[in-house]
Amino acid sequence: MNKHPLAEHVRILARGKNASRNMTLDEASFTMTHFLSGDAEPEQIGAVFMLLRVLEESPDEIAGFARAINHYWPTAACEYDLIWSSYAGKRRQPMWWVLSALLLREMGYRILVHGTLAHTEGRVYAHEVFKDLGLPEVTAEELNATTHPLAYLPCSEIHPVLQKWLGLKSVLGVRSPINTVLKTISPAGIPSVQGIFHPNYRKVHTSAALMNGEACAVIKGEGGEFEVNPERSCIAGLCLNNEESELTIPNRQSHYSDKPDSPDTAHLIAFWRDQLASEYATEAVLSTAALALRTIRPELTYENALAECTRAFSARDKSLL
């Protein structure tokens, strides 16, 4: 029997306590390329995902996996100014970051959001919020045919197997490296913003971006989304101009009494229309927008980006929602 071309790559991870090691960037890219082409057995995919879960994925592996997936972006994705990943969903708060993206659209920037279908009861996901707000969810074909300055693209439109892999948690019982990788993907040359749950992953994300020559901002955001929580000091990991750095956004207070207590999209509409006054929401929307703007335009300081976003928010078209 001929040995499968991926057998040696599975073996890299599975040689036991002392001989196993993480993949190099090229090995990870080779592996994911075979996964995406259909030239892999399901046993190999499950083995690699779970072995990396045990070893903990390295920046090289995340970069290599992302590099392979990035070949599948629709052509029109390369025309956007920013790629915004959304995979966590929100449980306690509305998705204020969607208003940050809408504000940037008002300022003339093109934002493409990608994410997952709803999969956890009690959480609201980006595709649901976009629908509620009348913002477009597009297929790859529609994205290539029509200009949308702010649009949502399901990850299944990048490659059909990606959503299936995200669903493996219900089969395997734990998250797999694909949950990390999908937050890091972006077309060549287009910066991205990424929200994470665990702060120790911030360096993994920025190091992977540096290896691929990409620009990004990564934060432990509210609910795991890319959204600044005004009640906490926010440390942003940045990879801009091929350099890694950190930016701290201090919190001005630790509790806001005017914070809505549900993810209901109606709060977003009321706030945008000036029918809901919330200092928490104002801080969340403007801080998140400013950090995203600095990712698009790294020559700006965070303070200058915040000032631009604040002026634009005051002059926003309240009839958009």
Side-chain angles (χ1 to χ4, degrees):
M1 179 182 294
N2 293 328
K3 184 181 289 187
H4 193 284
L6 279 179
E8 284 300 318
H9 288 69
V10 177
R11 186 170 180 267
I12 289 169
L13 306 171
R15 295 181 63 195
K17 182 177 179 180
N18 297 318
S20 297
R21 63 170 175 83
N22 287 88
M23 293 180 183
T24 65
L25 188 152
D26 287 341
E27 289 166 344
S29 180
F30 178 89
T31 299
M32 182 55 69
T33 297
H34 276 268
F35 284 5
L36 294 168
S37 69
D39 183 25
E41 299 297 328
E43 294 87 352
Q44 293 173 318
I45 296 172
V48 167
F49 284 172
M50 288 300 92
L51 287 166
L52 283 180
R53 174 76 180 182
V54 174
L55 288 175
E56 295 189 357
E57 57 268 42
S58 68
D60 295 74
E61 287 161 333
I62 297 302
F65 287 169
R67 184 175 294 184
I69 295 171
N70 284 337
H71 287 294
Y72 289 87
W73 281 97
T75 302
C78 297
E79 300 173 9
Y80 281 82
D81 298 302
L82 184 69
I83 300 296
W84 198 306
S85 65
S86 177
Y87 287 85
K90 296 290 288 292
R91 179 169 57 86
R92 293 178 296 220
Q93 280 286 300
M95 281 193 173
W96 299 116
W97 68 260
V98 177
L99 298 187
S100 305
L102 184 62
L103 177 62
L104 291 172
R105 189 194 82 173
E106 278 268 88
M107 296 168 69
Y109 299 100
R110 291 166 53 80
I111 314 295
L112 181 61
V113 178
H114 64 99
T116 178
L117 297 177
H119 57 74
T120 301
E121 187 177 356
R123 283 189 173 267
V124 172
Y125 290 84
H127 70 98
E128 298 171 308
V129 175
F130 268 59
K131 181 179 180 180
D132 290 344
L133 297 181
L135 299 172
E137 176 181 330
V138 295
T139 64
E141 184 178 356
E142 290 168 341
L143 189 71
N144 288 332
T146 309
T147 299
H148 291 292
L150 174 59
Y152 175 84
L153 182 74
C155 66
S156 58
E157 291 294 323
I158 301 171
H159 194 294
V161 78
L162 299 178
Q163 184 63 52
K164 178 182 177 181
W165 287 346
L166 286 173
L168 287 176
K169 182 180 179 182
S170 63
V171 177
L172 300 173
V174 293
R175 289 158 53 89
S176 76
I178 202 67
N179 296 79
T180 299
V181 173
L182 287 187
K183 294 179 180 181
T184 72
I185 62 175
S186 64
I190 311 300
S192 68
V193 291
Q194 307 161 21
I196 56 176
F197 282 105
H198 305 294
N200 58 311
Y201 270 85
R202 188 168 53 235
K203 176 67 174 175
V204 174
H205 285 236
T206 57
S207 296
L210 185 63
M211 291 176 190
N212 282 337
E214 303 293 354
C216 71
V218 185
I219 64 171
K220 173 178 166 55
E222 206 291 311
E225 291 284 341
F226 185 84
E227 180 182 299
V228 174
N229 180 348
E231 295 182 335
R232 305 284 184 271
S233 177
C234 176
I235 300 175
L238 305 176
C239 182
L240 302 174
N241 296 323
N242 293 313
E243 292 184 358
E244 290 182 86
S245 63
E246 287 188 352
L247 168 70
T248 299
I249 303 173
N251 58 313
R252 296 200 293 180
Q253 50 187 303
S254 58
H255 176 71
Y256 289 79
S257 59
D258 61 4
K259 179 175 65 175
D261 59 359
S262 81
D264 192 340
T265 305
H267 295 309
L268 300 179
I269 297 171
F271 178 73
W272 185 266
R273 292 177 179 175
D274 249 353
Q275 297 167 351
L276 169 68
S278 172
E279 190 176 359
Y280 177 96
T282 302
E283 292 279 346
V285 170
L286 293 180
S287 297
T288 303
L291 188 53
L293 179 58
R294 185 159 190 271
T295 310
I296 299 171
R297 295 171 55 196
E299 75 279 4
L300 290 177
T301 64
Y302 171 77
E303 291 73 20
N304 288 341
L306 182 61
E308 283 196 27
C309 292
T310 301
R311 288 192 294 270
F313 187 73
S314 296
R316 72 191 182 279
D317 182 356
K318 297 173 186 176
S319 68
L320 283 179
L321 298 181

